[in-house]
Amino acid sequence: MAASSSEGEEFYLRYYVGHKGKFGHEFLEFEFRPDGKLRYANNSNYKNDTMIRKEVFVTPSVLRECRRIINDSEIMKEDDNNWPEPDRVGRQELEIVMGNEHISFTTSKIGSLVDVQTSKDPEGLRIFYYLVQDLVIFAECFQLILGY
Amino acid sequence: MDGKVSAPTHRVRSSKGRGYFRGHDFDSLDSSDIGPQRSIKGWIILVTGIHEEAKEEHLYNVFQEFGQVNNLHLNLDRFTGFVKGYALVEYERYEEAANAIRAMDGTQELFHQTIHIDWAFGKGPASSGSTTGSKHHNLRSRSRTPPRRQY
């Protein structure tokens, strides 16, 4: 397989969404580390659900596909300057390192596309909105298939 | 992979965003295990390069030829509604998964576009940037700095 120019560059991804409320700190967080370790935590305190916490090593092929998803979204060109600040309802954090580019975005929870469209940066926030959903699905796929 | 010895340089990296730069700590690469990792239930392979109109049933039928497929995840793109481009396939036995990889990796039979297949899980940390397979070499106690870019 031909190596792309991004082979060998550093890659790191972390996503967090959560809030602190009536039922405690409820959050979802996962992290793809440069060495391939995927750490996943899902803490819902509603009705005393227990925390799901998993760690597993994924192969470079998985990291490569993750990078592809991120590159296709073009999130690295965006900025969170004009995105809503985290608030009482919750926060999202997206941190990505790709080679010599590093983004660390924070914003509030996004309820729906209406929140995107009425924001000060609908184009950028829309990219973020769909990307994090794709990334959550991607990460959850690996921890789900592991079973319990 | 890179045996060059050069003076340590401060790598310039652009940073954007309001978030805290938590950065990341680099685990020490002390594992000597190589090879794919069996999950609790079976052997899982990652298929990439899947055509956006691929049908799950078609994929299932193709991979079923190599052995009993216990699980198949074909995720959709949230924006387009089409297939995102990757799938996880779980086999009961190692040979079945290995055969599927061997037979289908790099082929274009399925959708007239090249798909790639590799193990999804590894036993331990891998050096970043390595190609498919679970080979690693020159493990060091910290993550390697990427080569300095020339502009």
Side-chain angles (χ1 to χ4, degrees):
Chain A
M1 173 161 72
S4 69
S5 59
S6 60
E7 292 291 322
E9 74 175 13
E10 202 170 338
F11 174 65
Y12 171 81
L13 163 68
R14 184 182 66 84
Y15 173 71
Y16 165 94
V17 58
H19 70 274
K20 292 174 185 168
K22 204 158 55 168
F23 302 106
H25 184 199
E26 299 183 72
F27 69 93
L28 162 69
E29 184 171 36
F30 60 84
E31 187 185 48
F32 284 92
R33 291 180 157 186
D35 64 358
K37 184 181 264 192
L38 164 60
R39 301 171 76 204
Y40 174 95
N42 192 337
N43 189 31
S44 170
N45 292 319
Y46 184 65
K47 291 191 178 166
N48 287 324
D49 274 354
T50 52
M51 156 127 66
I52 298 171
R53 195 184 268 289
K54 294 190 189 168
E55 283 190 7
V56 69
F57 282 101
V58 296
T59 57
S61 295
V62 172
L63 298 183
R64 197 173 302 127
E65 181 65 2
C66 195
R67 286 209 305 263
R68 195 243 346 148
I69 291 171
I70 292 168
N71 278 327
D72 283 357
S73 76
E74 303 194 328
I75 189 75
M76 302 302 286
K77 299 180 183 169
E78 300 301 323
D79 207 305
D80 62 354
N81 278 338
N82 294 315
W83 297 359
E85 300 258 3
D87 56 21
R88 192 165 301 244
V89 175
R91 72 186 291 126
Q92 297 185 79
E93 298 172 1
L94 180 68
E95 189 170 2
I96 301 176
V97 174
M98 290 189 84
N100 61 359
E101 286 183 84
H102 179 188
I103 61 169
S104 185
F105 295 162
T106 60
T107 189
S108 60
K109 278 195 177 183
I110 302 172
S112 74
L113 266 181
V114 175
D115 297 329
V116 169
Q117 279 152 1
T118 55
S119 75
K120 288 194 285 180
D121 177 18
E123 314 266 300
L125 203 57
R126 179 181 306 115
I127 289 173
F128 176 88
Y129 175 70
Y130 283 112
L131 173 64
V132 298
Q133 292 183 66
D134 284 337
L135 291 176
V136 167
I137 291 168
F138 185 72
E140 290 203 322
C141 203
F142 291 94
Q143 70 86 19
L144 257 177
I145 205 164
L146 283 176
Y148 291 91
Chain B
M1 232 186 277
D2 109 84
K4 280 196 237 179
V5 175
S6 48
T9 53
H10 176 66
R11 178 162 38 85
V12 174
R13 173 182 280 157
S14 73
S15 293
K16 276 191 298 188
R18 302 180 302 210
Y20 296 106
F21 291 167
R22 292 201 198 178
H24 41 282
D25 43 15
F26 296 95
D27 290 298
S28 67
L29 304 176
D30 56 359
S31 169
S32 58
D33 277 321
I34 58 172
Q37 172 67 55
R38 188 186 194 282
S39 82
I40 293 171
K41 296 191 291 177
W43 296 90
I44 296 161
I45 61 179
L46 173 74
V47 187
T48 57
I50 297 177
H51 190 273
E52 65 179 10
E53 291 177 18
K55 299 281 182 272
E56 186 165 330
E57 187 150 351
H58 177 212
L59 225 58
Y60 183 87
N61 290 337
V62 167
F63 283 100
Q64 188 64 8
E65 291 181 28
F66 299 96
Q68 176 55 43
V69 172
N70 284 342
N71 234 313
L72 190 149
H73 290 258
L74 180 66
N75 292 331
L76 304 183
D77 182 309
R78 267 295 282 123
F79 180 62
T80 66
F82 288 117
V83 165
K84 188 64 186 173
Y86 65 90
L88 290 185
V89 184
E90 179 191 327
Y91 287 102
E92 182 64 38
R93 294 169 49 217
Y94 173 88
E95 304 77 39
E96 296 168 341
N99 286 339
I101 294 173
R102 219 180 340 260
M104 306 284 302
D105 179 34
T107 64
Q108 298 179 340
E109 294 169 25
L110 273 183
F111 315 110
H112 308 295
Q113 69 183 42
T114 308
I115 62 169
H116 289 289
I117 315 185
D118 191 11
W119 302 102
F121 300 112
K123 284 195 170 155
S127 57
S128 63
S130 59
T131 53
T132 58
S134 311
K135 53 182 188 288
H136 59 196
H137 36 76
N138 295 331
L139 294 183
R140 306 211 302 254
S141 62
R142 68 167 187 83
S143 182
R144 177 173 11 115
T145 304
R148 183 169 187 220
R149 287 205 177 189
Q150 307 293 326
Y151 290 99

